[in-house]
Amino acid sequence: MVSTGHKDCYGKMFPDASDHRTDQHVSGKAFWLERETAGGMSFGPRHVGVDAEGWDECRSCSDFDDCYKLGVGLVVLGTAIGVR
């Protein structure tokens, strides 16, 4: 792996929703999402939340602005191409 000079968590503030097909709970550094199983292969209600400690760590990082923008960009791109 090529070193970018960024922390390992760079761009991972938000959970990777594409991994959510098999997991009921997926976490990023500062945010998480969860689906309740409705039965069988279907999912019920969805929930999102904030890891306050992770968020505070992110906010105090010198890379916060760029990392946040990268994370949002990944979420938008995933939404645009229909990653589920």
Side-chain angles (χ1 to χ4, degrees):
M1 184 170 137
V2 176
S3 175
T4 62
H6 297 291
K7 294 180 181 180
D8 289 341
C9 56
Y10 186 73
K12 298 177 182 172
M13 197 177 300
F14 299 93
D16 180 358
S18 66
D19 285 345
H20 207 266
R21 286 174 271 166
T22 56
D23 294 334
Q24 292 180 351
H25 183 91
V26 180
S27 294
K29 172 84 175 175
F31 301 97
W32 55 265
L33 63 98
E34 185 173 84
R35 286 186 185 167
E36 294 179 24
T37 304
M41 298 289 290
S42 63
F43 288 100
R46 298 176 206 156
H47 308 279
V48 296
V50 176
D51 176 333
E53 185 176 320
W55 177 250
D56 288 343
E57 288 177 23
C58 289
R59 291 283 298 141
S60 66
C61 180
S62 61
D63 281 333
F64 175 77
D65 287 337
D66 290 334
C67 181
Y68 182 83
K69 291 173 186 174
L70 176 59
V72 168
L74 291 169
V75 169
V76 169
L77 180 59
T79 300
I81 62 172
V83 172
R84 298 191 191 280

